[in-house]
C-alpha cells in the first residue's frame, strides 16, 4: 500500500487510539490470571491482535464484547493451547509472552514477520536460561524463530537492559515462579519509563517486588498470582506524538482528546519537549491543545526514556530554527528498523539536512520537498513520513504504508478528519 500525502493545514480535535503497551500487558496478565477479566477499549489490530492470538495459543478463552474483550485466564496451567505462537510484528508481545512460556514445561515456538525476525531476543532468552529455561534458535545469526521451554525456578539471573522489554518480560513472569524467589541484576538499562509501566501493573495486581532506586537489582518473591480485573485501556502517548508534532508544524489549533497525564507512559514527555522548543501546549479539562509556533527552536534532546518519539521529532527538527541534536537513544537502532539510519535515509530524499550520530541524530532547519520514500515496514517511520508530507512542497509518496496499522489503524481516517490530505493507493494482487 502507498500513501500520497500533500501539504495540509490541520484543525479540530483528534481522539488518540488505545495504548499498545498497556494492551499487551493487560492481555498477558489476564491470560495468566485464574478467572475472567474485562478489558475495555484495547488495541485490537496489529500488535494488539498478535497479543490476543498469543493469549489464545496458551489456552485462554477470548470473547469479543461491545467495547472490548472478555478473557478467561489459564492461571498456573501452562499445559494447554498450541505449540506454535505467531507474533506478527510485535516485539513487545514476543518478549512478554516468551517469558510467560518459560513458566511451563511445554515447548513453544515463536515466530513473526520478516521485520520481527531481524530483532534481538537472545538477551531475554539468556536471562531466562539462567533461571532454568532452555531454548533453541533455528537460524544462525538470527534470534527468531526460537523455541523455549521451562519450567523456571527461582534463583539469580542477569539481563541486558538495552531494551526495556527484556526486563519487563522477567518482571511479569518471575512472581509466578512456584519454586523459589528470584533476583534480577540489570545492566545497560534504557527506556526506564517502560519498566515503571510494568511496575505499575504489578502494583495494581498487588505483586510484591523490591528494587534499587537505579533499577539495577530486583528481588521478587515467588509463588504469587495474578487476579482477574476490569479496566479501560488508556490512550497511547506514543501514538499521540504524531498528532502533537503534526499540530506543531501544520496545525491551526488541534486538540488531542483522551490523554491521561497521570498515566505512567513515558512518551508523555514529548509534550515537555514541544513546550521547550516553543510550541504552545495548553492542557484543558478534556483535551490537550497544540498551537503551531512561528518560531520553533532547535535544541539538544535526550530521548533515552522515549525512543519511539524519534521518527516524529526528527520531522519537527527539520522545521526548527538552528540545530537539533537527539542524543542517548542508541536503542532506536534495534526497533522494527534501525530508526536512526532509516530516518536519515528517507528525510534526506526530501531535502533534509540530517546526519547520524552513534546514539542519535543531528538535524538542521530544512525546506522539505515531496519525494518517493519508503516506510521500511515500520509503523512509526511511515507515520513520521506522513507528517513530513504535510509540510513538504508537492507530493510525497510513502511505500509500505500499511505498516501504520500495527499501532494506529485509523491514522488516515483520523487525520483526514482534521484536514490532512492523504490518498490511499492499494497495490493490486497479481
Amino acid at each position: 500500500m502507498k500513501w500520497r500525502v500533500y501539504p495540509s493545514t490541520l484543525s479540530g480535535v483528534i481522539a488518540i487510539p488505545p495504548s499498545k503497551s498497556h494492551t499487551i500487558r493487560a492481555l498477558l496478565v489476564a491470560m495468566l490470571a485464574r478467572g475472567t477479566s474485562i478489558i475495555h477499549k484495547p488495541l485490537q489490530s496489529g500488535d494488539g491482535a498478535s497479543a490476543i492470538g498469543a493469549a489464545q495459543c496458551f489456552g485462554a478463552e477470548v470473547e469479543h464484547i461491545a467495547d472490548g474483550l472478555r478473557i478467561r485466564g489459564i492461571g498456573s496451567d501452562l499445559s494447554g493451547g498450541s505449540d506454535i505462537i505467531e507474533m506478527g510484528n510485535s516485539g513487545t508481545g514476543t518478549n512478554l509472552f516468551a517469558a510467560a512460556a518459560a513458566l511451563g514445561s511445554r515447548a513453544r515456538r515463536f515466530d513473526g514477520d520478516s521485520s520481527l525476525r531481524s530483532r534481538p531476543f537472545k538477551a531475554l532468552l539468556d536471562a531466562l536460561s539462567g533461571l532454568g529455561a532452555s531454548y533453541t534458535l533455528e537460524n544462525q545469526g538470527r534470534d527468531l524463530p526460537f523455541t523455549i521451554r521451562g519450567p523456571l525456578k527461582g534463583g539469580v539471573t542477569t539481563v541486558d537492559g538495552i531494551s526495556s522489554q527484556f526486563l519487563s518480560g522477567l518482571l511479569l513472569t518471575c512472581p509466578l515462579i512456584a519454586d523459589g524467589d528470584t533476583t534480577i541484576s540489570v545492566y545497560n538499562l534504557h527506556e526506564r519509563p517502560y519498566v515503571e509501566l510494568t511496575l505499575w501493573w504489578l502494583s495494581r495486581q498487588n505483586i510484591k517486588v523490591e528494587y534499587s532506586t537505579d533499577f539495577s537489582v530486583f528481588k521478587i518473591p515467588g509463588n504469587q498470582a495474578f487476579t482477574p480485573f476490569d479496566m479501560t485501556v488508556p490512550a497511547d502517548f506514543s501514538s499521540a506524538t504524531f498528532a502533537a508534532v503534526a499540530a506543531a508544524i501544520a496545525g491551526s489549533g488541534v486538540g488531542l482528546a483522551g490523554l491521561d497525564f497521570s498515566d505512567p507512559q513515558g512518551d508523555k514527555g514529548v509534550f515537555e519537549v514541544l513546550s521547550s522548543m516553543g510550541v504552545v501546549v495548553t492542557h484543558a479539562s478534556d483535551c490537550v491543545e497544540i498551537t503551531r509556533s512561528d518560531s520553533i527552536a532547535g535544541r539538544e534532546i535526550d530521548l533515552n526514556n522515549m525512543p519511539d518519539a524519534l521518527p516524529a521529532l526528527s520531522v519537527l527538527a527539520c522545521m526548527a530554527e538552528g540545530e537539533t541534536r537527539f542524543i542517548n537513544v542508541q536503542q532506536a537502532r534495534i526497533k522494527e528498523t534501525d530508526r536512526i539510519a532509516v530516518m536519515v535515509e528517507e528525510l534526506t530524499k526530501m531535502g533534509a539536512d540530517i546526519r547520524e550520530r552513534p546514539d542519535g541524530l543531528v538535524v538542521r532547519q530544512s525546506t522539505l520537498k515531496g519525494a518517493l520514500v519508503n516506510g521500511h515496514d515500520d509503523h512509526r517511520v511511515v507515520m513520521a513520513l506522513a507528517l513530513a508530507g504535510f509540510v513538504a512542497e508537492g507530493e510525497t509518496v510513502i511505500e509500505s504504508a500499511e505498516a501504520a496499522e500495527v499501532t494506529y489503524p485509523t491514522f488516515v481516517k483520523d487525520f483526514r478528519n482534521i484536514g490532512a490530505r492523504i490518498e490511499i493507493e492499494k497495490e493490486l494482487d497479481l
Side-chain angles (χ1 to χ4, degrees):
M1 178 191 298
K2 296 178 182 177
W3 289 350
R4 296 184 180 274
V5 186
Y6 302 91
S8 305
T9 300
L10 311 179
S11 63
V13 177
I14 187 167
I16 305 303
S19 165
K20 176 191 79 169
S21 297
H22 273 298
T23 295
I24 294 173
R25 286 164 174 79
L27 284 162
L28 181 80
V29 171
M31 179 193 83
L32 292 171
R34 182 170 296 279
T36 300
S37 298
I38 307 295
I39 306 174
H40 304 277
K41 298 182 179 179
L43 178 69
Q44 296 194 52
S45 65
D47 284 7
S50 295
I52 292 170
Q56 291 173 315
C57 284
F58 277 84
E61 297 178 10
V62 181
E63 177 188 356
H64 293 266
I65 58 177
D67 68 339
L69 302 168
R70 179 182 289 112
I71 299 171
R72 184 173 181 178
I74 61 175
S76 59
D77 183 5
L78 273 292
S79 63
S82 170
D83 294 334
I84 299 173
I85 302 176
E86 170 62 48
M87 295 306 304
N89 188 247
S90 181
T92 303
T94 301
N95 283 300
L96 270 54
F97 281 91
L103 287 167
S105 58
R106 181 174 181 172
R108 310 270 188 177
R109 180 183 183 270
F110 285 78
D111 199 2
D113 65 15
S114 59
S115 173
L116 193 68
R117 284 187 170 194
S118 70
R119 297 183 68 175
F121 298 101
K122 195 170 183 296
L124 172 66
L125 299 176
D126 286 341
L128 291 168
S129 68
L131 297 172
S134 61
Y135 71 89
T136 56
L137 306 180
E138 293 186 14
N139 300 309
Q140 185 175 2
R142 286 195 170 186
D143 293 357
L144 196 73
F146 63 77
T147 299
I148 187 165
R149 71 189 309 165
L152 296 177
K153 297 182 180 180
V156 178
T157 195
T158 300
V159 67
D160 185 350
I162 182 64
S163 170
S164 64
Q165 296 170 14
F166 304 149
L167 177 56
S168 286
L170 293 171
L171 291 175
L172 287 162
T173 297
C174 289
L176 309 185
I177 296 174
D179 185 10
D181 303 340
T182 305
T183 298
I184 305 169
S185 295
V186 186
Y187 66 94
N188 191 34
L189 180 65
H190 296 272
E191 307 170 343
R192 179 181 170 117
Y194 286 97
V195 180
E196 293 172 341
L197 180 64
T198 298
L199 293 173
W200 180 88
W201 268 96
L202 294 177
S203 177
R204 280 176 57 96
Q205 284 285 313
N206 296 312
I207 297 295
K208 297 177 181 178
V209 181
E210 296 180 3
Y211 49 89
S212 59
T213 56
D214 62 355
F215 285 9
S216 63
V217 179
F218 291 81
K219 296 182 178 180
I220 307 173
N223 205 29
Q224 302 185 70
F226 292 145
T227 55
F229 60 89
D230 186 324
M231 72 164 289
T232 299
V233 174
D236 194 314
F237 276 93
S238 297
S239 296
T241 296
F242 297 96
V245 170
I249 62 177
S252 61
V254 176
L256 282 60
L259 294 172
D260 177 4
F261 280 81
S262 67
D263 188 87
Q265 294 178 63
D267 279 10
K268 64 186 177 183
V270 166
F271 292 87
E272 296 178 6
V273 170
L274 294 178
S275 295
S276 72
M277 297 178 74
V279 178
V280 178
V281 179
T282 305
H283 293 262
S285 59
D286 57 347
C287 69
V288 180
E289 295 183 0
I290 308 292
T291 303
R292 181 178 57 190
S293 172
D294 293 330
S295 179
I296 301 173
R299 58 181 292 256
E300 184 173 274
I301 303 168
D302 186 328
L303 283 181
N304 192 267
N305 283 343
M306 42 185 178
D308 287 344
L310 178 69
L313 289 178
S314 64
V315 177
L316 176 71
C318 291
M319 302 293 104
E321 296 176 358
E323 181 179 275
T324 301
R325 300 171 68 88
F326 299 107
I327 65 169
N328 199 21
V329 67
Q330 54 267 35
Q331 72 270 36
R333 293 190 182 276
I334 60 168
K335 298 294 183 178
E336 285 82 341
T337 57
D338 178 343
R339 287 176 175 163
I340 293 173
V342 163
M343 291 311 299
V344 170
E345 178 183 350
E346 300 306 322
L347 288 178
T348 296
K349 295 176 183 177
M350 301 181 72
D353 184 348
I354 182 172
R355 59 183 175 87
E356 290 187 47
R357 294 168 43 97
D359 68 337
L361 294 170
V362 178
V363 189
R364 297 190 61 82
Q365 188 174 26
S366 309
T367 299
L368 300 182
K369 296 183 179 180
L372 174 63
V373 293
N374 195 298
H376 295 260
D377 297 311
D378 185 330
H379 55 126
R380 302 200 194 281
V381 172
V382 168
M383 293 185 285
L385 293 173
L387 307 187
F390 296 156
V391 293
E393 299 175 5
E395 179 187 73
T396 299
V397 180
I398 306 170
E399 296 179 316
S400 74
E402 65 276 7
E405 296 179 4
V406 167
T407 52
Y408 204 152
T410 59
F411 181 92
V412 171
K413 176 183 176 182
D414 290 352
F415 275 77
R416 279 176 173 172
N417 286 341
I418 60 170
R421 298 172 60 204
I422 306 177
E423 297 176 0
I424 298 175
E425 180 180 318
K426 295 184 177 179
E427 299 177 0
L428 296 177
D429 294 329
L430 299 179

